[in-house]
């Protein structure tokens, strides 16, 4: 076999294994409520379920309140036009429909039932789907051949009061529309002046053309070709009413004739139909969308051989500008479901087009950069549309669709607070969002907002700062070499402007250097720091410089730690800023978003083996910080001992810490020492200790030493938390400062910025 055949064989083997193991298929039904005792059973089913039924009888809209209907979409096919496989029937189409369900859930949190219907009679098919309306909030038609799909969709839209969307038509059209708008922007051509030629006149092609006309392409400038050649006025072969809308009064009969002088080629037909000499005959800076899969109408290499001024898009992942429906359909349904849209209007589709196009013109996100490492993803000829894993797609598209639904008059549950809706979407996209909601609100209202970033040249920091500026969280002050910061801003495609969005403190020539090094020397001269060393340190230790800026009021807070250890950074923080009055120790707390719960753990990074007195102080500092998140602390002092089952020193220490906490903070809900399962399982804990001072699940876990805390944190983060973490949050410092870790993500830097601002504006 050839190398290409080897790759295909390996892909096929891996795909079959993926679908089979560990459980056949790609989706399952998961309960959203617990069912662990007789009361749960009575609530979930008889007799309790009758209450929900009666409420829906009184008002059908209550179905969206008491059932999953408002977040449930049907993915429906009869298997007559599956991917590149053709008419393979509904059973063989099931893997594709399950895959669509996975995409809905992954990208937009929407649940799906896939329905493979063995029915070719279109009226019967329509009757079956329409009869299912009480079950679903929307219907996504999939892989139904043309022109059948047009008829089915029209009939269903007339009969059903929920969104019906044929993704092969409209999903493709929306992404093509966004890509074309941006391609025209790159080549500086007006949409109302281009000549567009298509190869293919199926469902996707005709839907694309209908939408492009609404976007501004004149109908008289569109020339359609199919197996019978150019679609011209009076043609009868292979014609239908939808195709006839684009018939032109022309003498041209072939694609080769029509393509001459064209500005845009749109291919949704078959591989190899567009030849190199045809491309050569196109207008200057031609735009070629060869979207046939798996083999495009022409390969990008063939285009480059004859036209170095062409802009190219395909449907393939191995070339730039992949036109992929997943860029739109999850988010269109998200917006439509959330506002109770009764249908999907032209205005909603156009809103999605512009939202996608605009997102491609801003800088790449850190998630995209990581997923497509090594690729240049700045707006231009090879980056016309966003990548599917861009987390901003939902935040950009769903609100635009919801707003358009309201403007179209089809939203029965309109979103009244769009900013709150965007925050809700952010909480889904960035799972830490729910934990950070209160902190973000405080940060956006704050007055003291100048935050210094000690590692201002770091790419993650720069990407985070762009988000911070966009979301209005802080006024960033970056430490580093100005020239390097400017170069990296440009390379990353960021929109940051020094002096407007950010300030830069250049370590090479900042005038405060002459002020800072003598102050540092006086503070440290009896701790081994000479004048010469003070001068050197103040040029090379960014954490030290940032600490001096904070200590002397030039900034309101600081963030450091994207490299090296906590101890390294903490030494400079301690030298300059020191601990809060009355506080004897530093500590670090980390927050984790776990399935069904949020927990904080201390001390994860600072104290190797804290005493009972230190644990008491650390717990109080952590509880105070949790209140800033709007979370009432419920504290469990963890141990290998369960309520006195051991008298080892570590268990005794936790017992002593409890006694101190009960004395010093009688308001705090706390108990221990206890096992981890007792902390998180209230029923089990009640059996062990009926008179426990802790009610419900613990959300602040205090561990006996740094080994236990750090190991527990990293295991939970990786195995159960999906890497979604807040922190480390430095406790005990006299001023707002936080020390990150080298594994910090862009979102974590953004979160910690908001927390630093909140700390800077807290009344202590």
């Amino acid at each position: 076999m050839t190398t290409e055949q080897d790759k295909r064989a390996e892909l096929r083997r891996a795909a079959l294994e993926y679908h089979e193991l560990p459980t056949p298929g790609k989706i399952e039904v998961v309960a959203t409520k617990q069912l662990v005792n007789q009361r749960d059973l009575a609530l979930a089913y008889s007799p309790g379920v009758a209450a929900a039924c009666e409420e829906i009888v009184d008002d059908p809209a209550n179905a969206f309140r008491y059932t999953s209907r408002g977040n449930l979409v049907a993915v429906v096919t009869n298997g007559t036009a599956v991917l590149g496989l053709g008419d393979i029937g509904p059973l063989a189409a099931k893997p594709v429909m399950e895959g669509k369900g996975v995409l809905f859930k992954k990208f937009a949190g929407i649940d799906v039932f896939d329905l493979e219907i063995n029915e070719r009679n279109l009226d019967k098919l329509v009757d079956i789907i329409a009869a299912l309306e009480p079950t679903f909030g929307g219907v996504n038609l999939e892989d139904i051949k043309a022109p059948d799909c047009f008829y089915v969709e029209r009939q269903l839209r007339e009969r059903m009061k929920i969104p019906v969307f044929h993704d092969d038509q409209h999903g493709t059209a929306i992404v093509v529309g966004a890509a074309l708008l941006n391609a025209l922007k790159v080549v500086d051509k007006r949409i109302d002046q281009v000549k567009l030629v298509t190869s293919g006149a199926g469902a996707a092609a005709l839907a694309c053309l209908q939408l492009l006309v609404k976007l501004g392409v004149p109908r008289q400038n569109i020339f359609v070709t199919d197996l019978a050649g150019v679609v011209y006025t009076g043609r009868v072969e292979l014609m239908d009413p939808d195709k006839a809308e684009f018939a032109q009064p022309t003498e041209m009969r072939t694609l080769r004739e029509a393509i001459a002088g064209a500005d845009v080629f749109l291919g949704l037909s078959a591989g190899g139909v567009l030849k190199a000499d045809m491309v050569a005959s196109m207008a200057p800076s031609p735009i070629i969308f060869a979207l046939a899969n798996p083999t495009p109408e022409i390969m990008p290499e063939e285009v480059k051989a004859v036209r170095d001024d062409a802009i190219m898009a395909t449907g393939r992942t191995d070339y730039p500008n992949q036109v992929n429906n997943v860029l739109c359909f999850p988010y269109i349904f998200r917006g439509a479901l959330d506002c109770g849209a009764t249908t999907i209007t032209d205005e909603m589709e156009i809103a999605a087009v512009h939202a996608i196009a605009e997102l491609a013109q801003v800088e790449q996100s850190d998630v995209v950069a990581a997923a497509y490492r090594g690729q240049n993803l700045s707006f231009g000829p090879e980056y016309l549309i966003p990548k599917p894993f861009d987390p901003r797609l939902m935040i950009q598209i769903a609100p635009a669709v919801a707003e358009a639904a309201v403007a179209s008059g089809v939203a029965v549950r309109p979103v009244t607070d769009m900013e709150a809706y965007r925050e809700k979407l952010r909480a889904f996209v960035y799972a830490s969002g729910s934990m950070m909601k209160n902190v973000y609100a405080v940060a956006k209202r704050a007055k003291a907002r100048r935050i210094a970033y000690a590692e201002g040249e770091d790419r993650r920091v720069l990407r985070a700062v762009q988000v911070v500026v966009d979301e209005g969280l802080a006024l960033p002050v970056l430490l580093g070499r100005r020239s390097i910061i400017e170069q990296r801003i440009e390379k990353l495609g960021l929109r940051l402007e020094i002096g407007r969005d950010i300030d830069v403190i250049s370590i090479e020539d900042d005038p405060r250097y002459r002020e800072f090094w003598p102050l540092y020397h006086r503070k440290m001269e009896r701790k081994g720091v000479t004048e010469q060393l003070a001068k050197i340190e103040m040029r090379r230790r960014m954490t030290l410089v940032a600490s001096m800026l904070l200590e002397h009021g030039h900034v309101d807070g600081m963030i450091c730690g994207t490299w090296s250890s906590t101890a390294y950074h903490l030494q400079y923080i301690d030298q300059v800023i020191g601990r809060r009055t009355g506080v004897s120790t530093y500590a670090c707390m980390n927050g984790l978003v776990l399935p069904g719960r949020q927990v904080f753990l201390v001390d994860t990074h600072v104290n190797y083996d804290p005493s009972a007195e230190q644990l008491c102080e650390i717990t109080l500092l952590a509880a105070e910080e949790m209140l800033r998140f709007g979370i009432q602390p419920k504290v469990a002092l963890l141990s290998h001992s369960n309520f006195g089952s051991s008298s080892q020193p570590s268990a005794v220490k936790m017992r002593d810490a409890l006694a101190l906490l009960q004395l010093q903070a009688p308001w705090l809900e706390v108990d221990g020492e206890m096992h981890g399962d007792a902390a998180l399982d209230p029923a089990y804990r009640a059996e062990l200790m009926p008179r426990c001072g802790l009610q419900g699940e613990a959300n602040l876990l205090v561990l006996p030493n740094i080994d236990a805390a750090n190991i527990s944190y990293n295991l939970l983060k990786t195995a159960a938390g999906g890497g979604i973490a807040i922190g480390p949050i430095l406790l005990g410092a006299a001023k707002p400062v936080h020390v990150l870790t080298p594994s910090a993500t862009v979102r974590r830097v953004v979160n910690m910025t908001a927390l630093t601002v909140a700390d800077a504006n807290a009344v202590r």
Side-chain angles (χ1 to χ4, degrees):
M1 289 193 293
T2 65
T3 302
E4 189 63 32
Q5 289 173 323
D6 287 338
K7 287 181 180 178
R8 285 198 295 268
E10 170 57 25
L11 179 62
R12 180 180 178 83
R13 183 202 63 75
L16 291 174
E17 184 179 274
Y18 176 86
H19 282 76
E20 181 183 8
L21 302 172
T23 302
K26 298 191 287 276
I27 59 176
E28 65 178 354
V29 176
V30 178
T32 60
K33 306 293 191 297
Q34 67 174 12
L35 190 62
V36 297
N37 54 42
Q38 183 62 37
R39 177 170 172 76
D40 291 342
L41 182 60
L43 294 174
Y45 202 54
S46 181
V49 72
C53 296
E54 289 164 354
E55 290 293 315
I56 295 170
V57 170
D58 291 341
D59 182 358
N62 280 330
F64 295 100
R65 183 177 179 183
Y66 296 116
T67 78
S68 63
R69 187 179 183 226
N71 196 51
L72 186 61
V73 166
V75 174
V76 183
T77 190
N78 66 353
T80 53
V82 180
L83 287 176
L85 302 173
D87 187 352
I88 61 174
L91 182 60
K94 186 170 177 63
V96 180
M97 302 308 112
E98 286 189 356
K100 203 65 175 258
V102 171
L103 298 180
F104 267 109
K105 189 67 174 179
K106 165 67 178 177
F107 291 111
I110 294 172
D111 295 315
V112 161
F113 289 162
D114 61 297
L115 303 177
E116 295 76 30
I117 301 174
N118 189 17
E119 182 57 72
R120 291 172 178 265
N121 181 292
L122 299 187
D123 289 321
K124 288 184 178 180
L125 181 62
V126 168
D127 287 341
I128 292 168
I129 300 170
L132 294 168
E133 181 170 349
T135 303
F136 298 101
V139 173
N140 186 92
L141 299 174
E142 191 80 14
D143 293 349
I144 300 172
K145 70 178 181 179
D148 296 2
C149 56
F150 299 123
Y151 178 80
V152 171
E153 185 184 53
R154 287 181 189 133
Q155 291 296 308
L156 290 173
R157 286 194 170 191
E158 289 178 8
R159 291 175 58 173
M160 303 179 81
K161 299 302 181 185
I162 58 176
V164 177
F165 186 80
H166 184 215
D167 184 45
D168 297 331
Q169 293 181 60
H170 307 295
T172 303
I174 288 166
V175 182
V176 164
L180 181 60
L181 290 181
N182 280 347
L184 292 172
K185 187 180 184 75
V186 170
V187 300
D188 195 24
K189 292 185 179 182
R190 289 176 46 174
I191 195 169
D192 60 348
Q193 294 179 351
V194 296
K195 175 185 176 183
L196 187 150
V197 177
T198 75
S199 172
L206 293 176
C208 287
L209 296 180
Q210 289 162 359
L211 184 58
L212 292 177
V213 168
K214 293 165 189 169
L215 289 171
V217 178
R219 191 177 294 270
Q220 64 269 21
N221 290 8
I222 297 173
F223 295 84
V224 178
T225 69
D226 60 9
L227 290 172
V230 173
V231 175
Y232 59 89
T233 305
R235 200 184 95 172
V236 296
E237 185 182 2
L238 296 179
M239 291 297 288
D240 59 63
D242 295 287
K243 194 183 299 185
E245 290 184 23
F246 293 95
Q248 293 277 29
T250 178
E251 297 299 318
M252 295 186 294
R253 295 294 182 265
T254 67
L255 174 61
R256 177 169 273 103
E257 293 173 316
I259 198 74
D263 298 284
V264 182
F265 169 80
L266 174 60
L268 286 152
S269 55
V273 301
L274 185 65
K275 308 301 181 184
D277 65 296
M278 299 182 190
V279 173
S281 73
M282 293 179 71
S285 302
I287 298 167
I288 299 169
F289 291 177
L291 306 182
N293 257 327
T295 306
E297 285 79 4
I298 189 169
M299 297 299 290
E301 296 85 353
E302 297 175 84
V303 171
K304 289 296 182 185
V306 294
R307 296 297 295 263
D308 59 7
D309 61 341
I311 290 181
M312 185 86 185
T314 71
R316 291 172 53 138
T317 60
D318 52 347
Y319 290 101
N321 298 324
Q322 183 199 17
V323 174
N324 191 328
N325 293 3
V326 78
L327 289 175
C328 71
F329 72 80
Y331 317 113
I332 287 174
F333 271 99
R334 181 73 279 158
L337 292 172
D338 290 341
C339 71
T342 57
T343 188
I344 293 177
T345 64
D346 292 342
E347 291 81 3
M348 293 162 74
E349 293 184 9
I350 291 171
V353 169
H354 288 292
I356 295 169
E358 290 164 9
L359 183 55
Q361 296 177 41
V362 301
E363 73 288 342
Q364 62 180 291
S365 78
D366 60 304
V367 177
V368 173
Y372 300 91
R373 193 176 301 279
Q375 297 184 34
N376 179 20
L377 302 182
S378 298
F379 178 66
E382 295 194 343
Y383 190 66
L384 300 175
I385 46 179
K387 293 293 188 180
F389 285 97
D390 195 322
R392 299 168 297 183
L393 283 163
M394 181 148 78
I395 302 166
Q396 184 94 351
I397 300 171
V401 170
E403 286 182 320
V406 173
S408 304
V410 299
V412 297
R413 299 188 307 280
V415 177
T416 56
D417 187 338
M418 195 55 64
E419 186 52 39
Y421 179 52
R422 289 191 175 92
E423 288 298 328
K424 178 182 175 183
L425 296 177
R426 287 191 187 97
F428 170 81
V429 173
Y430 305 105
S432 60
S434 57
M435 187 186 288
M436 292 295 299
K437 182 178 180 180
N438 193 59
V439 173
Y440 272 62
V442 171
K444 289 181 179 181
R445 297 192 305 265
K447 294 181 179 179
R449 304 171 67 215
R450 289 177 58 83
I451 304 301
Y453 298 83
E455 293 97 35
E457 297 176 6
D458 187 280
R459 289 172 174 83
R460 289 166 297 171
V461 169
L462 289 169
R463 286 200 176 98
V465 164
Q466 181 69 73
V467 178
V468 167
V469 170
D470 289 345
E471 297 190 8
L473 295 175
L475 303 174
V477 178
L478 305 183
L479 277 67
R481 294 163 293 179
R482 184 187 179 100
S483 60
I484 299 299
I485 291 173
E486 288 174 333
Q487 289 171 17
R488 290 183 177 170
I489 287 173
E490 182 178 0
K491 186 173 183 179
L492 294 172
L494 303 178
R495 292 167 282 111
L496 299 171
E497 184 178 319
I498 297 174
R500 183 193 68 185
D501 304 307
I502 60 173
D503 287 334
V504 171
I505 293 180
S506 176
I507 58 173
E508 298 165 326
D509 57 7
D510 188 81
R512 279 165 287 206
Y513 171 77
R514 293 183 180 276
E515 171 193 351
F516 282 172
W517 78 256
L519 292 172
Y520 178 61
H521 174 250
R522 282 198 292 272
K523 187 181 285 278
M524 299 298 296
E525 64 184 342
R526 293 188 177 273
K527 296 181 181 179
V529 176
T530 63
E531 284 192 1
Q532 188 62 28
L533 182 57
K535 292 178 180 179
I536 293 171
E537 293 287 84
M538 201 54 64
R539 285 287 193 202
R540 66 181 181 177
R541 306 300 184 192
M542 295 298 94
T543 301
L544 174 58
V545 178
S547 297
M548 292 293 287
L549 288 167
L550 178 57
E551 175 68 11
H552 294 283
H554 297 281
V555 295
D556 304 303
M558 65 169 277
I559 292 173
C560 60
T562 57
W563 69 280
S564 194
S565 65
T566 301
Y568 170 84
H569 296 279
L570 195 55
Q571 65 177 318
Y572 296 110
I573 293 167
D574 186 51
Q575 287 173 0
V576 176
I577 295 170
R579 294 184 292 274
R580 279 170 53 182
T581 302
V583 172
S584 62
T585 187
Y586 297 102
C588 277
M589 175 173 75
N590 281 84
L592 286 173
V593 181
L594 304 176
R597 60 169 58 94
Q598 299 170 347
V599 297
F600 291 82
L601 298 88
V602 288
D603 169 25
T604 52
H605 288 84
V606 179
N607 297 286
Y608 178 71
D609 188 14
S611 65
E613 290 75 15
Q614 286 178 306
L615 285 173
C616 175
E617 182 175 73
I618 290 167
T619 302
L620 292 175
L621 291 170
E624 176 189 276
E625 196 69 32
M626 284 181 66
L627 292 172
R628 213 173 326 282
F629 287 88
I631 300 172
Q632 192 67 32
K634 291 175 174 286
V635 186
L637 305 176
L638 300 189
S639 172
H640 72 280
S641 174
N642 223 10
F643 300 108
S645 64
S646 169
S647 294
Q648 292 295 326
S650 64
V652 172
K653 178 174 69 173
M654 303 310 280
R655 248 171 268 161
D656 291 344
L658 174 64
L660 290 169
L661 285 165
Q662 291 172 332
L663 182 65
Q664 297 181 28
W667 58 269
L668 185 63
E669 194 173 330
V670 57
D671 213 329
E673 78 288 6
M674 69 180 76
H675 288 176
D677 53 354
L680 300 179
D681 186 344
Y684 172 56
R685 186 170 67 247
E687 291 179 12
L688 290 171
M689 185 58 57
R691 289 176 296 280
C692 183
L694 174 64
Q695 301 299 313
E697 295 182 6
N699 55 21
L700 175 55
L701 308 181
V702 181
L703 294 105
N705 57 51
I706 199 169
D707 283 338
N710 195 274
I711 291 169
S712 297
Y713 162 66
N714 283 297
L715 284 174
L716 285 171
K717 179 182 71 172
T718 304
I724 301 165
I726 307 292
I729 300 165
L730 182 63
L731 307 172
K735 295 194 176 184
V737 53
H738 293 294
V739 184
L740 302 174
T741 60
S743 64
T745 63
V746 168
R747 178 48 52 171
R748 203 182 304 176
V749 177
V750 174
N751 286 339
M752 294 307 296
T753 299
L755 184 59
T756 307
V757 173
D759 285 342
N761 289 270
V763 177
R764 297 192 184 275

